[in-house]
Each structure stands twice: as C-alpha cells, then as structure tokens.
Amino acid sequence: MNHPDSPNPAPSDPSSPVNQPPQQPGAEAPQGQQPGHAPQPYGYDPVGGTHKRPGAAKSASVLGIVSGSLGIVSAVATCIVTANSQRGINELKGRIRPDLFEQVTNFLNGAYLVAAVTLIVAAILLVGGIQFLKGRGHSLLRAGAIAQIVVVVAELLLSLAASGALNTSTSPSALVRSAIGLGLAISILVNLSKPETKRWKDSVS
C-alpha cells in the first residue's frame, strides 16, 4: 500500500471518471439521435430514411377520395332527376305558357351542364386524392378542391334562381349538398396548406 507522500504513487484506475478527458460542449448526442447528425424535420423517420406521412396529408387524401366519390354520385343523381323533369315538362308542352316552358327548359339545361362539370371535378378529386396518398398529385388535388367550391356555388345559385323564377321553395337537399360540398373542399385546402403537409410533399417528390 502506498502512502500519499510516497515518491512513486500507484497508478490510478484509467476508467475512473476523474481520469476521463473532458468532453467538448455539445459532443454528446441527444437521446435517440446519432452523433454528428442534425435533428430531422417533422415527418421524417430516421429508421431506414423513410418519410412518414403526416395526419394532415392523409386527411387531405381521404377527403379528396370521399369528395370525389360523392361528387360522382351527386352528378349521376342530378342527371337522373333532371331527365325525369325534362320528360315531365315535355308532356306539358302546349298546355303551359311558352315563356314558362322555355324558362324551365333553360334551367334544366343548366342542371345538365352543372352535372357534367361536377363529374369532371369529382374525377379530378378522386384521382388527386389517390395519388396524394403516395406524395404525388398535390396540385391536382388542390385544383380539384378549388373547382369544387366554384361548382357548388354555381349549383346553389342555379337552384335559388330556379326556385325564385318558379315561385317555389329551395329544396333542403340542395342546401345540405352545398354545405357538404363546401365543407369538404375547404377542409382539403386547409390540410394541404399545413406546413407539415408541404414538408412531406417536398421530401417525397
């Protein structure tokens, strides 16, 4: 055993914390992060270098698919109802005023036009929603949502104009359909504009 004032003190244990070299500030990596790597942005999974799809991006895709599917159903239903109304008004031709017949016919033709545009927009939303599940089709889905707002507003104005011209009340189903269409389109745009959605889209594109 060596005394403190011995000329040859015994070597100390190299594993002792006293003998460890001082660490440089910031040399220790945070928990769960490899040394020398900067923190990864939100939505990045370091395991395998993959990018996880954020919830907002998934919501935008699902809403696009749902909105597109409902749009197709709505367009087909509008065509069926309009066709039945067309047959009914044709049977009344000659028994109602010619100006009234022409006015109703114009409204029915407008309904056909809106249904055709709705079908196109619905297809855009459906394809865009499916593509955006894989990180593609962001612009297509966004354009479809904007177009849906325009179509829904146009359809609502046509319905209100027809009700006013024919002195009838606006169909509650038309109001509900318009509210649902606007809500879905706005929700898609909100989710697409979120920062995590944009970062994920840029990282996988």
Side-chain angles (χ1 to χ4, degrees):
M1 180 175 180
N2 295 321
H3 294 280
D5 52 356
S6 174
N8 296 314
S12 59
D13 186 2
S15 63
S16 174
V18 178
N19 297 294
Q20 294 295 326
Q23 288 187 341
Q24 297 295 329
E28 182 178 357
Q31 183 177 2
Q33 180 180 323
Q34 296 296 328
H37 290 273
Q40 301 297 342
Y42 177 82
Y44 182 85
D45 183 6
V47 181
T50 59
H51 295 79
K52 297 178 64 176
R53 181 175 58 245
K58 183 177 181 180
S59 297
S61 300
V62 173
L63 289 173
I65 296 172
V66 171
S67 185
S69 302
L70 291 177
I72 293 174
V73 173
S74 176
V76 173
T78 299
C79 288
I80 294 174
V81 172
T82 304
N84 291 332
S85 300
Q86 187 76 58
R87 285 194 295 267
I89 197 65
N90 288 336
E91 294 176 356
L92 297 176
K93 187 177 182 180
R95 289 184 287 174
I96 60 175
R97 301 194 319 268
D99 59 330
L100 180 59
F101 176 83
E102 182 179 1
Q103 193 174 33
V104 173
T105 301
N106 291 335
F107 283 129
L108 293 176
N109 291 335
Y112 278 125
L113 179 60
V114 170
V117 176
T118 299
L119 191 61
I120 296 173
V121 173
I124 293 174
L125 285 168
L126 187 59
V127 173
I130 294 174
Q131 288 186 347
F132 197 57
L133 285 174
K134 301 178 182 180
R136 303 188 301 270
H138 178 273
S139 300
L140 187 65
L141 184 57
R142 184 181 184 87
I146 295 174
Q148 178 172 331
I149 294 177
V150 176
V151 171
V152 170
V153 172
E155 184 179 10
L156 180 59
L157 293 177
L158 180 64
S159 178
L160 293 175
S163 300
L166 301 176
N167 197 21
T168 59
S169 59
T170 305
S171 173
S173 62
L175 299 177
V176 172
R177 188 168 60 249
S178 299
I180 293 175
L182 288 175
L184 287 172
I186 294 173
S187 298
I188 292 172
L189 293 176
V190 169
N191 283 286
L192 287 178
S193 62
K194 289 185 176 180
E196 58 267 30
T197 303
K198 293 180 179 180
R199 285 195 296 267
W200 175 74
K201 184 260 298 184
D202 294 337
S203 65
V204 298
S205 59

